[in-house]
Every structure is written in C-alpha cells, then in structure tokens.
Amino acid sequence: MRALPAGHPSLARGFASPPGTLVVLGLAGGVLVPPSAPGPVTFGRNTAEVSVPVGEDDRRVSRRHGVLEHHRDRWWVRATGKVPLRLPESRLLFTGAAPVALPAGYLPLFVHGSRGREHVLEVHVADGRPARRPAPHGVLDTRERLALTVVGQSFLRWEAQPRPVPPERAAAQLAVLDPGGDWTSLGVRAALDGVRARFHPASGDDLLLGALLAAAVLVPPDLALLTAEPVPQPRVPDWTQRTVGS
C-alpha cells in the first residue's frame, strides 16, 4: 500500500492510476492499493488498527468499522461495525450481511456518527480513465461553499431522492454554523443565484446542485462543514458590570 496524506484532493475529481487500483481516502489521509497487491483495507476509529482512519474522535464509529477486500477480480466492501454503513441511494449495509461489489469509478461510503455527524470515506476503483481537470480556482468562495453545502446536503449524501433544503431552513442552520454571517433566506438565495449565474445559468436549484456535484465543485467531504465548530465571534465587554474605581 502507498499512503496518501491528509488534505489530499477529493477522489470525486478522479485519480489517475492503472485499472483495478483501489484508492481509499478519509479526512486524515488514505491509501492506494495497486492491482498487484490487493488489500485488504480496513477502516474505522482506531488509527493504530486500521488502514484508513474514519471518525477517530467519534465513539459511535466502531474501532474497526469495515473492510475492503479483493476477490473474484473485484473489490468488495463488508461492514463490521455496530452502526451500518450507508451506501449511495440510502442503502444500508449491516454487519453480517453479504459484502457488496464496488463499481469502477468513484463511490462515497457514509458512517452516521454522534450528534448528527456524517463521516465520509471516499473510494475510487480505477477504470483507466484520466483524472478530471480541477475546477477553476475560486469557483466557490467560503460563504458560497457553506451555503451550498447546507442547501445541497442530501445531494452530497447521495440520497435516493435528494431535495434542496428550503432557504428558510437553510438560513436557520447557517445562523448556527456561522453566527456572524447575517444569514437570511434572501442571503441564501443570493448565494445560490451568484453561483448559478457563473456556473449553470437558467437552471433550477436541483439542476445546479447536480451540476456542481458532477463537476466535483461540491464533493461529499464538504459535509464536514455541517458539524464544524461555529465561527467564533469577538467578545464585547459588558461595561455595565464595571464598578466605580475598578
């Protein structure tokens, strides 16, 4: 296996490697397994026991939550944790169930953690296609990415029937994640319209979000923004508490 560092670009943008190569990536890094040395690749909370850590600080994730194995000329995923793995289209894979064959190309796997956290494990089985060219730098700024992640979270989870979060609900969630952002439903709509004008004019929200995912401008690891610590705000001194002579 070859190690990949933390901060490696999302596998949704592709990965140039020989056909049959398996690449697995989490927030803390990942591994590349060439066809000549197939697996197994384990993943879970215990960094000392698994090939790829996922949900290291979340005790809802099992120490060893799953394994990727190679047999019959294909890669397969098997669940071993107390919480089921969620595959695209909301399919659940429980411990003890038959392993599922991985298709060629990109596939995100999800582990639902504590306090609503969604841990993403990216998997890519090389099919010989070249890596996708990266999107132009600066397509999304920080505010736009946060807003689009909130609005498009069911798309990023690859749910069976994804729907955009309405602007009013999105604004309420954004106000918690970014208290100083002055988020309103109009602000959410402005962020969407600004990206739409640059990237996919004359499209509805569903088409816009689908296009952003297809171009890997938005990627499943962006879901980590939904459970990030709120942006700290400067503390304003309470002068009413001061006493004379203090």
Side-chain angles (χ1 to χ4, degrees):
M1 295 185 190
R2 190 183 97 196
L4 300 177
H8 190 281
S10 170
L11 300 183
R13 299 184 176 102
F15 197 99
S17 51
T21 300
L22 175 73
V23 189
V24 186
L25 185 66
L27 291 179
V31 296
L32 179 150
V33 186
S36 59
V41 176
T42 57
F43 56 91
R45 174 167 54 88
N46 192 326
T47 58
E49 295 181 1
V50 296
S51 310
V52 181
V54 61
E56 304 96 300
D57 60 347
D58 191 337
R59 296 189 65 82
R60 185 175 172 86
V61 180
S62 294
R63 296 165 66 88
R64 178 169 164 163
H65 210 93
V67 60
L68 298 156
E69 301 166 304
H70 190 272
H71 57 92
R72 301 206 300 271
D73 296 323
R74 298 195 66 176
W75 285 99
W76 303 73
V77 59
R78 179 167 52 86
T80 60
K82 57 188 176 184
V83 176
L85 286 172
R86 198 178 79 250
L87 309 179
E89 298 189 348
S90 308
R91 179 181 178 183
L92 296 179
L93 181 61
F94 291 87
T95 295
V100 172
L102 298 178
Y106 176 75
L107 189 78
L109 304 175
F110 303 90
V111 181
H112 188 67
S114 57
R115 302 186 303 280
R117 299 174 67 184
E118 199 78 61
H119 304 286
V120 180
L121 189 78
E122 296 188 285
V123 177
H124 185 270
V125 179
D127 54 7
R129 297 179 185 177
R132 183 180 305 166
R133 296 182 64 181
H137 178 70
V139 166
L140 299 181
D141 62 28
T142 301
R143 183 177 176 88
E144 290 170 339
R145 184 171 298 279
L146 181 59
L148 284 159
T149 297
V150 170
V151 173
Q153 54 193 276
S154 67
F155 290 80
L156 289 167
R157 294 186 181 110
W158 284 39
E159 293 181 1
Q161 296 180 325
R163 294 288 184 271
V165 174
E168 295 78 10
R169 282 178 47 204
Q173 186 173 1
L174 285 162
V176 175
L177 294 170
D178 181 18
D182 295 325
W183 288 103
T184 64
S185 59
L186 290 177
V188 173
R189 179 55 58 196
L192 288 170
D193 289 343
V195 175
R196 190 187 339 268
R198 300 197 312 273
F199 192 85
H200 207 273
S203 65
D205 290 348
D206 293 71
L207 288 176
L208 174 64
L209 291 163
L212 292 174
L213 263 74
V217 175
L218 281 178
V219 291
D222 286 332
L223 288 168
L225 296 174
L226 302 184
T227 50
E229 291 295 324
V231 177
Q233 301 302 305
R235 184 174 180 271
V236 178
D238 185 357
W239 300 108
T240 62
Q241 299 300 316
R242 297 190 67 180
T243 59
V244 176
S246 62

